[in-house]
Amino acid sequence: MTDEEEPILRFRDDDQARALYDRIDALMDAIGEPVSLMHVCGSHEEAIAKYGLRANLPADLSVRMGPGCPVCVTDMPEIDEGIALAEAGVTVATFGDMFRVPGTEGSLRDAKREGASVEVVYSASDAVEYARANPEESVVFFATGFETTAAPTAAVLAADPPENFSVLSVHKYVPPAMEAIAELPETNIDGFLAAGHAAAITGYGLFEDLVEEHEIPTVVGGFEPLDVLRAIADLLEMIATDDPGLGNAYPRVVSEAGNVAAQETMWSVFEQTTRAWRGLGEIPSGNLEIRPAYAAHDAREQFDIDPDVGPVDPLAEQCLCGDIMAGTADPDDCTLFGTVCTPRDPVGPCMVSDEGTCNIWNRYGGRPEV
């Protein structure tokens, strides 16, 4: 490490943090009115809550989490599809944070308890390896997540996986959801803090259309506390100067073009379609479906999926996860938060996943006093 690199890599530097807070305070004074920012990543919320960043932000600066938890936005009928496959004798391989998320009549964990074959994996590659090791089983990878996980899923499908392997794609694509949020008048978002890991795939230039069409400042940010504060300060700078633009506060990872090879693979396998996001409704072009060329490994083409859909739990109907992900409510606005709904006994998806706002606030608090 050189002397020139050290200040950049000192992510927890108190002096840099104080300087950024001073800059944020000065910019808020210059703006002279409340500002509402939205980030779209659970890792951003984790950094903000874990390190108590909100406690030192100006009171009239709101930083809320939008639809940035892939587990939270996976719709109930999609989970029902996975459960139906497992109950039909197919081995369903899933990420661990999807294991307990409830569908309309239960979760994949409930299905496993009742004898279905459900395996927890850490990646699409793990699911392929499981299929290769168990050729007598039909293995379906329950593919969740945004661009960051969609690209690896595409890579395994493009790499000639075994015949007994297929994918149930519930992958989502974030930019259309940001556009939908920007068009919601009740959300009243003044700027977006975009997720650095997704932008590492797609590049920050992807957001140019969003900025131009909606005249909403957008800055890509990393996940260390100083990354988040710098991105917030950059957004406020644009708001203070009434110059909505596109910024990259994560240049050590994100480029304008992103990972072009990963994008080519992703778009060769997936195409954008419209499906519902949990709590948000249909997001035009917000889902990633497998292209017909890969139908041999598309679970929806290979199996007659007929979910046993039951009535929605009355408690789930009281859940405010949809409002929280739309930026119109905070977790502690929900009467279930921390009492009826806890990480141990979650009602809604925002409490189930470690990346969900309610789960994070339950662990760290939202705007602590210290």
Side-chain angles (χ1 to χ4, degrees), residues 95 123-125 127-128 141-159 161 165-171 262 265-266 269-270 288 290 294 297:
F95 294 130
S123 67
S125 297
V128 170
F141 177 50
F142 189 63
T144 59
F146 303 128
E147 295 89 308
T148 316
T149 51
T153 300
V156 301
L157 286 176
F165 175 81
S166 57
V167 169
L168 178 62
S169 176
V170 298
H171 281 306
T265 302
M266 187 172 77
V269 171
F270 292 114
L288 298 177
I290 297 171
Y294 293 91
H297 297 288

Side-chain angles (χ1 to χ4, degrees), residues 71-336:
V71 172
C72 304
V73 299
T74 302
D75 206 18
M76 279 188 175
E78 294 173 327
I79 297 170
D80 291 338
E81 286 184 302
I83 293 170
L85 285 170
E87 290 176 339
V90 172
T91 295
V92 174
T94 179
F95 294 130
D97 53 4
M98 282 302 309
F99 196 50
R100 295 189 304 141
V101 181
T104 53
E105 283 202 325
S107 63
L108 286 166
R109 181 180 65 174
D110 296 332
K112 186 176 179 68
R113 283 175 171 169
E114 293 173 5
S117 179
V118 181
E119 298 291 330
V120 173
V121 294
Y122 293 99
S123 67
S125 297
D126 283 351
V128 170
E129 290 307 310
Y130 181 90
R132 291 190 197 281
N134 297 275
E136 75 285 0
E137 298 181 28
S138 293
V139 179
V140 170
F141 177 50
F142 189 63
T144 59
F146 303 128
E147 295 89 308
T148 316
T149 51
T153 300
V156 301
L157 286 176
D160 192 24
E163 292 182 359
N164 65 324
F165 175 81
S166 57
V167 169
L168 178 62
S169 176
V170 298
H171 281 306
K172 314 288 190 222
Y173 190 52
V174 172
M178 293 171 67
E179 290 190 23
I181 294 290
E183 292 170 357
L184 288 175
E186 63 270 28
T187 300
N188 195 27
I189 294 298
D190 298 304
F192 279 117
L193 197 173
H197 43 31
I201 300 293
T202 60
Y204 72 85
L206 174 75
F207 299 107
E208 284 183 0
D209 291 345
L210 173 73
V211 172
E212 290 180 6
E213 183 175 349
H214 298 283
E215 295 187 340
I216 186 166
T218 301
V219 172
V220 173
F223 306 101
E224 289 292 334
L226 293 181
D227 289 328
V228 176
L229 292 176
R230 178 188 163 182
I232 290 172
D234 288 357
L235 283 168
L236 294 178
E237 186 83 46
M238 295 177 188
I239 295 169
T241 57
D242 194 22
D243 183 21
L246 174 61
N248 179 19
Y250 199 27
R252 67 181 184 276
V253 172
V254 176
S255 66
E256 183 173 5
N259 186 329
V260 175
Q263 292 171 46
E264 289 175 351
T265 302
M266 187 172 77
W267 292 122
S268 73
V269 171
F270 292 114
E271 57 186 348
Q272 291 176 253
T273 61
T274 298
R275 276 177 172 267
W277 290 38
R278 189 168 190 159
L280 298 175
E282 288 194 345
I283 303 293
S285 301
N287 277 60
L288 298 177
E289 301 278 354
I290 297 171
R291 292 183 182 275
Y294 293 91
H297 297 288
D298 183 347
R300 291 193 176 96
E301 295 293 329
Q302 296 303 310
F303 300 97
D304 181 18
I305 305 175
D306 184 18
D308 184 12
V309 178
V312 177
D313 186 328
L315 270 181
E317 293 182 334
Q318 299 177 42
C319 172
L320 292 187
C321 280
D323 296 324
I324 291 166
M325 290 186 287
T328 59
D330 288 321
D332 51 8
D333 292 328
C334 180
T335 57
L336 307 178

